[in-house]
Amino acid sequence: MIGLTTLWIDRRARVEPEINPRRAVFVLGKIDEILSWEKTKDQERDVRFVELGEYLCEVRVKQYWKLEKLNSFDEFLEKRFPASRRKAYYLMAIHEKLTRIPKPHLRAVGWSKAAELVKVARKDGDRFDCATWLHAAKELSKEGFKNEVERYLTGKETEPWEIIYFKLYKSQLPVVEQALETAALMLGSDKSRGYCLEMICADFLAGSSTQENQLEVLVLSLERLYQTLSDEGQEKLLNRLREGPWRNFVRNDLASF
């Protein structure tokens, strides 16, 4: 992802844009203004996320980050989004992928639902039925809409779910975010944050459980992993188990589990 941010989609030779200093200073100031608001007011964040995504895209294309003596756009994002650059990429995707939805409607549904709309737009491309999905985003709750999108993307019914609340100090957030992002890189970016957290917890339990509980934790983790894989991925996992150093312990009917 980092390398792709500096390439043209059509693979033409990159041409250095001519920077308009006055416009660049204005855009960079607006980004800092919105981010400063985010720290104290949740309402402004949900109203101004569309504007922020638009400005970030302009900074990337026009290379305004050079005015701050930075080496790349990614370095610019690291400076503005120290906890997680993922949010910045979601904001830009909302601006780039949801062009057929008027900005006032995007502001009305909020940041979380707009991020879910991006997932559908990426999958459907030109076939994206923005009116139908926008109506669903307005009518459903945040969790209900997220489940609807997941059901559409995977073709599977989602499991029963619960929302768990617990407090994290701001000093803890960078560690938690980094752990979730690392798990997503290992498990696949299409996996939910809840699933990534489950795998992190399973890994911890496998390392700290008593001897008699380790096998059960390991089996549960493997079952969850197997269920989320594609047919090709499931077959690949089974072949690895049959052909690896543990092949003598794996029955030929392993696929039945």
Side-chain angles (χ1 to χ4, degrees), residues 22-250:
R22 291 185 61 183
R23 174 65 183 177
V25 170
F26 171 81
V27 170
L28 294 173
K30 280 293 185 181
I31 290 174
D32 289 337
E33 175 189 336
I34 296 171
L35 291 177
S36 177
W37 247 320
E38 276 193 322
K39 295 178 181 178
T40 55
K41 297 182 179 181
D42 289 339
Q43 184 177 2
E44 275 82 357
R45 177 189 60 197
D46 270 351
V47 171
R48 304 192 71 179
F49 72 90
V50 178
E51 184 182 3
L52 181 55
E54 181 179 359
Y55 285 139
L56 287 171
C57 287
E58 185 173 344
V59 170
R60 180 177 59 182
V61 173
K62 301 293 186 179
Q63 300 186 8
Y64 293 160
W65 42 267
K66 289 184 176 180
L67 267 66
E68 298 184 352
K69 309 300 182 182
L70 300 175
N71 296 317
S72 66
F73 178 67
D74 287 291
E75 192 172 329
F76 171 84
L77 291 184
E78 287 178 3
K79 181 178 178 181
R80 263 41 177 221
F81 298 83
S84 173
R85 282 179 293 172
R86 176 181 295 181
K87 179 180 179 181
Y89 286 114
Y90 268 125
L91 290 169
M92 290 187 288
I94 289 171
H95 173 69
E96 293 175 329
K97 298 295 183 180
L98 304 180
T99 54
R100 287 186 286 164
I101 300 179
K103 292 180 181 179
H105 293 307
L106 283 177
R107 296 188 186 100
V109 299
W111 139 260
S112 298
K113 291 181 180 179
E116 295 298 321
L117 284 170
V118 168
K119 298 177 183 179
V120 180
R122 281 174 172 163
K123 178 180 184 295
D124 290 353
D126 294 337
R127 298 181 292 103
F128 176 51
D129 187 352
C130 59
T132 299
W133 281 104
L134 182 62
H135 176 74
K138 291 179 179 178
E139 295 296 320
L140 297 174
S141 66
K142 182 169 68 175
E143 287 298 326
F145 184 64
K146 183 176 181 179
N147 289 336
E148 187 67 25
V149 170
E150 184 175 353
R151 194 158 37 237
Y152 176 74
L153 296 178
T154 64
K156 301 177 182 178
E157 291 293 324
T158 55
E159 298 182 36
W161 52 270
E162 292 184 10
I163 300 177
I164 301 176
Y165 296 93
F166 55 91
K167 181 174 72 175
L168 286 174
Y169 293 105
K170 289 185 177 181
S171 60
Q172 296 173 310
L173 286 175
V175 176
V176 174
E177 287 286 351
Q178 184 176 358
L180 291 173
E181 289 187 7
T182 302
L185 289 174
M186 298 174 63
L187 300 170
S189 58
D190 60 320
K191 300 298 185 293
S192 69
R193 290 164 70 84
Y195 176 77
C196 291
L197 178 60
E198 179 189 357
M199 292 298 101
I200 292 171
C201 294
D203 184 63
F204 175 82
L205 289 174
S208 62
S209 299
T210 60
Q211 185 68 30
E212 60 186 28
N213 290 334
Q214 285 184 0
L215 179 60
E216 181 180 357
V217 173
L218 177 60
V219 170
L220 288 174
S221 299
L222 284 173
E223 286 181 347
R224 289 284 294 167
L225 175 62
Y226 182 83
Q227 291 168 3
T228 60
L229 294 175
S230 63
D231 293 341
E232 181 181 355
Q234 290 177 351
E235 184 63 28
K236 185 176 181 180
L237 174 61
L238 294 176
N239 289 335
R240 290 286 296 275
L241 290 173
R242 293 192 187 103
E243 298 171 2
W246 43 78
R247 59 184 176 275
N248 294 332
F249 302 97
V250 181

